[in-house]
Amino acid sequence: MLPVGRSVLLPPVRPVRSTRPERPDRSDRSDRSDRSDRSGRSSWSDRSDRAGREEAVDPTSLTPAQAFDALYAFCAPTLVRQTYLLSGRRDLARESVERAFQLAWDRWPEVARDRDPAGWVRAAAYEWALSPWHRFRRRHRHPEPPPSQPSDRALLDVLLHLPPPYRRAVVLYDGVGLDLPETAAETEASTTATASRLLHAHEILAARLPELSNPLVLHRRLAELASAEHLRTAEPPEVREGSERRARFWTRSAIAFTLALIGATAITLHTAPTRYDPPVPSGETVQGVPPHVAPGPLSDKERKLRAKLREELLHGPERLAPQPW
């Protein structure tokens, strides 16, 4: 059973010390003044020690790696349970959290300045867990072993049969505990559309499992289902190294593609013709021209004439003064 008022779907609550001084009671002013007089300089030394301790844990003094590791340790254990409720797959839940934090490390200046870094990472993990492209992956074509408890199997089966937007709204509203405007903002939908999704999802859950009509029971069952699976996440340095390795891979790929494009352009410019050669048109049939007739055999008269010309024209006077025949 889960302790009252806590949920495994929520990050652990860290105590925050208020920086606003409390107004002292008038009845205690005399006692406090007496104690301050008796303590003398010791009270000031205590204040300086407390100020020094507060400066030692100032978040602004953390390096980017330390801040990232703190965010990962704070959000990853609960976020992997939430993504398991969305996907129903243990390996995909761990992968979604790691990819979300790798993306956060790639864009760490943006995430560090965000008003809700945990919400930024949660939205990225949800998007990866609910991506429809996972169905085409080979290892996701076969279902994973279901939970051991029959009640957990029934609840997970009902959740996975909900449309992805409904499932995401249920996990955020009934599991994480966000209110309706926050759920609508994180799902990038209007408040009316989010309320309609939650209403239809609750109707489907109550029709399959009537005990889930109570919101408190639904929240408790979601927390129990998420905590039943022992899901472990990678260490923060491994996630940061994976993000940097992926960034180096895509950077080198972009450089290689750019060099290949430059080389192809240079080869094209070197081998391309420098002038325009018009193409030779294909031949066409000419009409009205008589066909060429091959010469036939010579007659006796023509053969005699050819013999006479060969004998006399080469050396005779007829070359200079032709004689009529």
Side-chain angles (χ1 to χ4, degrees):
M1 297 297 292
L2 297 174
V4 178
R6 297 299 303 276
S7 173
V8 296
L9 298 179
L10 296 175
V13 179
R14 294 181 177 177
V16 179
R17 181 180 297 178
S18 176
T19 59
R20 184 178 180 181
E22 298 180 358
R23 179 176 298 178
D25 191 2
R26 293 181 180 178
S27 61
D28 297 338
R29 287 182 179 178
S30 59
D31 297 338
R32 295 184 179 179
S33 61
D34 295 338
R35 287 195 299 269
S36 62
D37 294 338
R38 288 194 301 269
S39 60
R41 296 181 179 179
S42 62
S43 61
W44 293 101
S45 62
D46 295 340
R47 292 178 184 177
S48 62
D49 293 342
R50 288 196 297 269
R53 287 193 298 268
E54 291 178 358
E55 291 178 358
V57 297
D58 188 7
T60 58
S61 62
L62 297 178
T63 63
Q66 292 174 346
F68 175 83
D69 294 350
L71 178 64
Y72 185 87
F74 182 68
C75 298
T78 56
L79 191 57
V80 71
R81 298 187 181 98
Q82 299 171 23
T83 52
Y84 173 70
L85 295 179
L86 292 174
S87 61
R89 306 187 68 90
R90 302 168 184 85
D91 56 347
L92 183 57
R94 291 188 291 266
E95 180 184 350
S96 301
V97 175
E98 292 180 7
R99 286 296 182 91
F101 276 97
Q102 288 177 358
L103 183 61
W105 182 243
D106 289 339
R107 305 178 181 179
W108 183 247
E110 173 189 350
V111 178
R113 290 192 300 265
D114 194 89
R115 290 185 294 179
D116 186 14
W120 194 99
V121 177
R122 181 173 59 231
Y126 282 19
E127 290 292 338
W128 184 266
L130 294 176
S131 175
W133 300 105
H134 294 309
R135 69 184 68 179
F136 300 105
R137 302 173 64 178
R138 179 176 300 178
R139 63 177 180 175
H140 290 172
R141 295 177 182 176
H142 305 285
E144 286 191 351
S148 57
Q149 298 297 329
S151 58
D152 294 341
R153 289 198 298 268
L155 177 57
L156 184 61
D157 182 70
V158 176
L159 284 176
L160 295 181
H161 280 82
L162 291 175
Y166 292 14
R167 199 184 318 153
R168 184 173 185 175
V170 168
V171 172
L172 289 173
Y173 185 79
D174 297 295
V176 179
L178 302 183
D179 56 10
L180 187 58
E182 292 175 344
T183 304
E186 187 153 335
T187 56
E188 298 180 353
S190 63
T191 307
T192 306
T194 305
S196 177
R197 293 173 182 176
L198 288 172
L199 180 62
H200 287 82
H202 289 167
E203 291 178 354
I204 297 174
L205 292 173
R208 295 283 301 272
L209 301 173
E211 66 273 11
L212 299 182
S213 58
N214 188 348
L216 296 179
V217 176
L218 177 58
H219 174 77
R220 179 176 57 83
R221 290 291 306 279
L222 290 175
E224 291 177 351
L225 175 59
S227 61
E229 300 295 331
H230 300 284
L231 302 174
R232 296 183 178 181
T233 57
E235 296 297 328
E238 297 180 6
V239 178
R240 285 190 282 108
E241 291 175 1
S243 176
E244 296 170 358
R245 185 167 54 251
R246 186 180 299 274
R248 287 194 299 268
F249 170 76
W250 286 113
T251 302
R252 293 171 181 173
S253 300
I255 293 174
F257 178 77
T258 304
L259 293 178
L261 184 61
I262 293 174
T265 305
I267 294 174
T268 302
L269 293 176
H270 180 71
T271 58
T274 58
R275 64 182 184 276
Y276 175 72
D277 295 330
V280 178
S282 58
E284 296 181 359
T285 305
V286 179
Q287 304 292 336
V289 178
H292 179 72
V293 179
L298 298 178
S299 60
D300 295 338
K301 184 178 179 179
E302 291 174 346
R303 283 195 297 270
K304 292 179 180 179
L305 178 61
R306 183 181 64 179
K308 184 178 180 180
L309 292 174
R310 288 177 178 177
E311 293 174 356
E312 297 179 359
L313 290 180
L314 294 178
H315 305 286
E318 291 83 0
R319 296 184 60 188
L320 300 178
Q323 299 291 329
W325 295 99

